[in-house]
Amino acid sequence: EIVLTQSPGTLSLSPGERATLSCRASQDFGSPYLAWFQQKPGQAPRLLIYDISSRAAGIPDRFSGSGSGTDFTLTISRLEPADFAVYYCQHYSSPPITFGQGTRLEIK
Amino acid sequence: QVQLQESGPGLVKPSQTLSLTCTVSGASISSGNYYLNWFRQPAGKELEWIGRIHTDGSARYNPSLASRVTMSIHTSENQFSLKLNSVTAADTAVYYCARRKYLDPFDQWGQGTLVTVSS
């Protein structure tokens, strides 16, 4: 099973600032099947990024993904008020599919 | 547009069986090479993959839950279901269904349904 570890646990920033969220895998799973989700209270996860760096439909270009091997990053270039939420990375190639424990992005 | 909707009892007693159904609308559940998945999320915690069933009926489960899980597909009703037996308070969570093609990302989710295990 691939374990994903996200950091930091909580990130406090102001609107307009840049957010950098990290996701580290316990092993190189040798495929690009790494996704990022945004989740707000009471809502289902919303796909932001798939295949490490591809934006899902309707996702603004302020959101970008990068990385390789075991280290992956979600960057939000200019935070807007709607961006403050919990973010999860997910590995989705072979079962079991796993998620990181999440990074809470809060308004400073 | 494809929509998924979970349904089932919101309260289950300890040691009993949790049963949920996911209804797919906007597409035939048996068309295409789709995997139908269940996830859950305890309050304040991360998402956990429970398992998946293919449209051909083959299933694969998370090893941590495999001894208690059964998934089924009900083609005529355009639904798939989850049964989790011998539940405890640790199974209290919001349960989500989701659909995807093999190695595609998870972009189709239900809204989730809260199941509480309590006497």
mmCIF file with all atom_site columns, all heavy atoms in Angstrom, chain A residues 55-70:
data_model
loop_
_atom_site.group_PDB
_atom_site.id
_atom_site.type_symbol
_atom_site.label_atom_id
_atom_site.label_alt_id
_atom_site.label_comp_id
_atom_site.label_asym_id
_atom_site.label_entity_id
_atom_site.label_seq_id
_atom_site.pdbx_PDB_ins_code
_atom_site.Cartn_x
_atom_site.Cartn_y
_atom_site.Cartn_z
_atom_site.occupancy
_atom_site.B_iso_or_equiv
_atom_site.pdbx_formal_charge
_atom_site.auth_seq_id
_atom_site.auth_comp_id
_atom_site.auth_asym_id
_atom_site.auth_atom_id
_atom_site.pdbx_PDB_model_num
ATOM 1   N N   . ARG A 1 55 ? -4.988  19.971 -15.207 1.00 0.00 ? 55 ARG A N   1
ATOM 2   C CA  . ARG A 1 55 ? -6.122  20.579 -14.517 1.00 0.00 ? 55 ARG A CA  1
ATOM 3   C C   . ARG A 1 55 ? -7.436  19.934 -14.968 1.00 0.00 ? 55 ARG A C   1
ATOM 4   O O   . ARG A 1 55 ? -7.643  19.694 -16.175 1.00 0.00 ? 55 ARG A O   1
ATOM 5   C CB  . ARG A 1 55 ? -6.175  22.089 -14.786 1.00 0.00 ? 55 ARG A CB  1
ATOM 6   C CG  . ARG A 1 55 ? -5.410  22.929 -13.761 1.00 0.00 ? 55 ARG A CG  1
ATOM 7   C CD  . ARG A 1 55 ? -5.646  24.411 -13.998 1.00 0.00 ? 55 ARG A CD  1
ATOM 8   N NE  . ARG A 1 55 ? -5.219  24.819 -15.341 1.00 0.00 ? 55 ARG A NE  1
ATOM 9   C CZ  . ARG A 1 55 ? -3.971  25.094 -15.667 1.00 0.00 ? 55 ARG A CZ  1
ATOM 10  N NH1 . ARG A 1 55 ? -3.028  25.031 -14.747 1.00 0.00 ? 55 ARG A NH1 1
ATOM 11  N NH2 . ARG A 1 55 ? -3.677  25.435 -16.896 1.00 0.00 ? 55 ARG A NH2 1
ATOM 12  N N   . ALA A 1 56 ? -8.312  19.675 -14.017 1.00 0.00 ? 56 ALA A N   1
ATOM 13  C CA  . ALA A 1 56 ? -9.631  19.144 -14.338 1.00 0.00 ? 56 ALA A CA  1
ATOM 14  C C   . ALA A 1 56 ? -10.473 20.242 -15.002 1.00 0.00 ? 56 ALA A C   1
ATOM 15  O O   . ALA A 1 56 ? -10.151 21.434 -14.936 1.00 0.00 ? 56 ALA A O   1
ATOM 16  C CB  . ALA A 1 56 ? -10.308 18.644 -13.070 1.00 0.00 ? 56 ALA A CB  1
ATOM 17  N N   . ALA A 1 57 ? -11.566 19.813 -15.610 1.00 0.00 ? 57 ALA A N   1
ATOM 18  C CA  . ALA A 1 57 ? -12.432 20.746 -16.318 1.00 0.00 ? 57 ALA A CA  1
ATOM 19  C C   . ALA A 1 57 ? -12.933 21.840 -15.382 1.00 0.00 ? 57 ALA A C   1
ATOM 20  O O   . ALA A 1 57 ? -13.392 21.565 -14.271 1.00 0.00 ? 57 ALA A O   1
ATOM 21  C CB  . ALA A 1 57 ? -13.617 19.992 -16.914 1.00 0.00 ? 57 ALA A CB  1
ATOM 22  N N   . GLY A 1 58 ? -12.818 23.078 -15.833 1.00 0.00 ? 58 GLY A N   1
ATOM 23  C CA  . GLY A 1 58 ? -13.352 24.205 -15.079 1.00 0.00 ? 58 GLY A CA  1
ATOM 24  C C   . GLY A 1 58 ? -12.463 24.715 -13.969 1.00 0.00 ? 58 GLY A C   1
ATOM 25  O O   . GLY A 1 58 ? -12.847 25.666 -13.260 1.00 0.00 ? 58 GLY A O   1
ATOM 26  N N   . ILE A 1 59 ? -11.307 24.137 -13.791 1.00 0.00 ? 59 ILE A N   1
ATOM 27  C CA  . ILE A 1 59 ? -10.398 24.573 -12.725 1.00 0.00 ? 59 ILE A CA  1
ATOM 28  C C   . ILE A 1 59 ? -9.511  25.712 -13.251 1.00 0.00 ? 59 ILE A C   1
ATOM 29  O O   . ILE A 1 59 ? -8.862  25.567 -14.285 1.00 0.00 ? 59 ILE A O   1
ATOM 30  C CB  . ILE A 1 59 ? -9.525  23.408 -12.232 1.00 0.00 ? 59 ILE A CB  1
ATOM 31  C CG1 . ILE A 1 59 ? -10.413 22.263 -11.717 1.00 0.00 ? 59 ILE A CG1 1
ATOM 32  C CG2 . ILE A 1 59 ? -8.559  23.877 -11.145 1.00 0.00 ? 59 ILE A CG2 1
ATOM 33  C CD1 . ILE A 1 59 ? -11.374 22.647 -10.610 1.00 0.00 ? 59 ILE A CD1 1
ATOM 34  N N   . PRO A 1 60 ? -9.494  26.849 -12.538 1.00 0.00 ? 60 PRO A N   1
ATOM 35  C CA  . PRO A 1 60 ? -8.705  27.983 -13.034 1.00 0.00 ? 60 PRO A CA  1
ATOM 36  C C   . PRO A 1 60 ? -7.209  27.699 -13.029 1.00 0.00 ? 60 PRO A C   1
ATOM 37  O O   . PRO A 1 60 ? -6.725  26.858 -12.273 1.00 0.00 ? 60 PRO A O   1
ATOM 38  C CB  . PRO A 1 60 ? -9.062  29.109 -12.053 1.00 0.00 ? 60 PRO A CB  1
ATOM 39  C CG  . PRO A 1 60 ? -9.607  28.439 -10.850 1.00 0.00 ? 60 PRO A CG  1
ATOM 40  C CD  . PRO A 1 60 ? -10.218 27.150 -11.297 1.00 0.00 ? 60 PRO A CD  1
ATOM 41  N N   . ASP A 1 61 ? -6.494  28.454 -13.879 1.00 0.00 ? 61 ASP A N   1
ATOM 42  C CA  . ASP A 1 61 ? -5.050  28.193 -14.024 1.00 0.00 ? 61 ASP A CA  1
ATOM 43  C C   . ASP A 1 61 ? -4.241  28.709 -12.838 1.00 0.00 ? 61 ASP A C   1
ATOM 44  O O   . ASP A 1 61 ? -3.018  28.579 -12.824 1.00 0.00 ? 61 ASP A O   1
ATOM 45  C CB  . ASP A 1 61 ? -4.529  28.758 -15.342 1.00 0.00 ? 61 ASP A CB  1
ATOM 46  C CG  . ASP A 1 61 ? -4.736  30.252 -15.481 1.00 0.00 ? 61 ASP A CG  1
ATOM 47  O OD1 . ASP A 1 61 ? -5.157  30.891 -14.486 1.00 0.00 ? 61 ASP A OD1 1
ATOM 48  O OD2 . ASP A 1 61 ? -4.492  30.786 -16.572 1.00 0.00 ? 61 ASP A OD2 1
ATOM 49  N N   . ARG A 1 62 ? -4.905  29.256 -11.820 1.00 0.00 ? 62 ARG A N   1
ATOM 50  C CA  . ARG A 1 62 ? -4.206  29.567 -10.566 1.00 0.00 ? 62 ARG A CA  1
ATOM 51  C C   . ARG A 1 62 ? -3.748  28.294 -9.857  1.00 0.00 ? 62 ARG A C   1
ATOM 52  O O   . ARG A 1 62 ? -2.835  28.329 -9.034  1.00 0.00 ? 62 ARG A O   1
ATOM 53  C CB  . ARG A 1 62 ? -5.136  30.346 -9.618  1.00 0.00 ? 62 ARG A CB  1
ATOM 54  C CG  . ARG A 1 62 ? -5.645  31.656 -10.171 1.00 0.00 ? 62 ARG A CG  1
ATOM 55  C CD  . ARG A 1 62 ? -6.490  32.408 -9.158  1.00 0.00 ? 62 ARG A CD  1
ATOM 56  N NE  . ARG A 1 62 ? -7.744  31.734 -8.841  1.00 0.00 ? 62 ARG A NE  1
ATOM 57  C CZ  . ARG A 1 62 ? -7.977  31.083 -7.725  1.00 0.00 ? 62 ARG A CZ  1
ATOM 58  N NH1 . ARG A 1 62 ? -7.027  30.979 -6.803  1.00 0.00 ? 62 ARG A NH1 1
ATOM 59  N NH2 . ARG A 1 62 ? -9.149  30.518 -7.505  1.00 0.00 ? 62 ARG A NH2 1
ATOM 60  N N   . PHE A 1 63 ? -4.407  27.188 -10.170 1.00 0.00 ? 63 PHE A N   1
ATOM 61  C CA  . PHE A 1 63 ? -4.061  25.903 -9.576  1.00 0.00 ? 63 PHE A CA  1
ATOM 62  C C   . PHE A 1 63 ? -3.106  25.150 -10.506 1.00 0.00 ? 63 PHE A C   1
ATOM 63  O O   . PHE A 1 63 ? -3.392  24.993 -11.692 1.00 0.00 ? 63 PHE A O   1
ATOM 64  C CB  . PHE A 1 63 ? -5.311  25.050 -9.360  1.00 0.00 ? 63 PHE A CB  1
ATOM 65  C CG  . PHE A 1 63 ? -6.241  25.577 -8.305  1.00 0.00 ? 63 PHE A CG  1
ATOM 66  C CD1 . PHE A 1 63 ? -7.218  26.522 -8.620  1.00 0.00 ? 63 PHE A CD1 1
ATOM 67  C CD2 . PHE A 1 63 ? -6.153  25.139 -6.996  1.00 0.00 ? 63 PHE A CD2 1
ATOM 68  C CE1 . PHE A 1 63 ? -8.072  27.020 -7.664  1.00 0.00 ? 63 PHE A CE1 1
ATOM 69  C CE2 . PHE A 1 63 ? -7.009  25.625 -6.020  1.00 0.00 ? 63 PHE A CE2 1
ATOM 70  C CZ  . PHE A 1 63 ? -7.968  26.564 -6.355  1.00 0.00 ? 63 PHE A CZ  1
ATOM 71  N N   . SER A 1 64 ? -2.008  24.674 -9.960  1.00 0.00 ? 64 SER A N   1
ATOM 72  C CA  . SER A 1 64 ? -1.074  23.898 -10.766 1.00 0.00 ? 64 SER A CA  1
ATOM 73  C C   . SER A 1 64 ? -0.471  22.789 -9.924  1.00 0.00 ? 64 SER A C   1
ATOM 74  O O   . SER A 1 64 ? -0.312  22.926 -8.703  1.00 0.00 ? 64 SER A O   1
ATOM 75  C CB  . SER A 1 64 ? 0.031   24.788 -11.352 1.00 0.00 ? 64 SER A CB  1
ATOM 76  O OG  . SER A 1 64 ? 0.807   25.363 -10.316 1.00 0.00 ? 64 SER A OG  1
ATOM 77  N N   . GLY A 1 65 ? -0.152  21.682 -10.586 1.00 0.00 ? 65 GLY A N   1
ATOM 78  C CA  . GLY A 1 65 ? 0.460   20.544 -9.915  1.00 0.00 ? 65 GLY A CA  1
ATOM 79  C C   . GLY A 1 65 ? 1.786   20.205 -10.560 1.00 0.00 ? 65 GLY A C   1
ATOM 80  O O   . GLY A 1 65 ? 1.990   20.430 -11.756 1.00 0.00 ? 65 GLY A O   1
ATOM 81  N N   . SER A 1 66 ? 2.673   19.672 -9.753  1.00 0.00 ? 66 SER A N   1
ATOM 82  C CA  . SER A 1 66 ? 3.990   19.292 -10.272 1.00 0.00 ? 66 SER A CA  1
ATOM 83  C C   . SER A 1 66 ? 4.547   18.168 -9.415  1.00 0.00 ? 66 SER A C   1
ATOM 84  O O   . SER A 1 66 ? 3.978   17.799 -8.384  1.00 0.00 ? 66 SER A O   1
ATOM 85  C CB  . SER A 1 66 ? 4.945   20.494 -10.256 1.00 0.00 ? 66 SER A CB  1
ATOM 86  O OG  . SER A 1 66 ? 5.154   20.947 -8.924  1.00 0.00 ? 66 SER A OG  1
ATOM 87  N N   . GLY A 1 67 ? 5.695   17.647 -9.860  1.00 0.00 ? 67 GLY A N   1
ATOM 88  C CA  . GLY A 1 67 ? 6.378   16.629 -9.072  1.00 0.00 ? 67 GLY A CA  1
ATOM 89  C C   . GLY A 1 67 ? 6.684   15.390 -9.870  1.00 0.00 ? 67 GLY A C   1
ATOM 90  O O   . GLY A 1 67 ? 6.278   15.232 -11.026 1.00 0.00 ? 67 GLY A O   1
ATOM 91  N N   . SER A 1 68 ? 7.423   14.492 -9.225  1.00 0.00 ? 68 SER A N   1
ATOM 92  C CA  . SER A 1 68 ? 7.773   13.205 -9.815  1.00 0.00 ? 68 SER A CA  1
ATOM 93  C C   . SER A 1 68 ? 8.328   12.307 -8.725  1.00 0.00 ? 68 SER A C   1
ATOM 94  O O   . SER A 1 68 ? 8.651   12.794 -7.627  1.00 0.00 ? 68 SER A O   1
ATOM 95  C CB  . SER A 1 68 ? 8.802   13.374 -10.936 1.00 0.00 ? 68 SER A CB  1
ATOM 96  O OG  . SER A 1 68 ? 10.000  13.904 -10.409 1.00 0.00 ? 68 SER A OG  1
ATOM 97  N N   . GLY A 1 69 ? 8.414   11.017 -9.037  1.00 0.00 ? 69 GLY A N   1
ATOM 98  C CA  . GLY A 1 69 ? 8.990   10.087 -8.065  1.00 0.00 ? 69 GLY A CA  1
ATOM 99  C C   . GLY A 1 69 ? 8.130   9.943  -6.830  1.00 0.00 ? 69 GLY A C   1
ATOM 100 O O   . GLY A 1 69 ? 7.077   9.329  -6.894  1.00 0.00 ? 69 GLY A O   1
ATOM 101 N N   . THR A 1 70 ? 8.563   10.521 -5.731  1.00 0.00 ? 70 THR A N   1
ATOM 102 C CA  . THR A 1 70 ? 7.807   10.435 -4.481  1.00 0.00 ? 70 THR A CA  1
ATOM 103 C C   . THR A 1 70 ? 7.370   11.795 -3.959  1.00 0.00 ? 70 THR A C   1
ATOM 104 O O   . THR A 1 70 ? 6.703   11.861 -2.919  1.00 0.00 ? 70 THR A O   1
ATOM 105 C CB  . THR A 1 70 ? 8.637   9.741  -3.384  1.00 0.00 ? 70 THR A CB  1
ATOM 106 O OG1 . THR A 1 70 ? 9.841   10.499 -3.171  1.00 0.00 ? 70 THR A OG1 1
ATOM 107 C CG2 . THR A 1 70 ? 8.991   8.306  -3.777  1.00 0.00 ? 70 THR A CG2 1
#
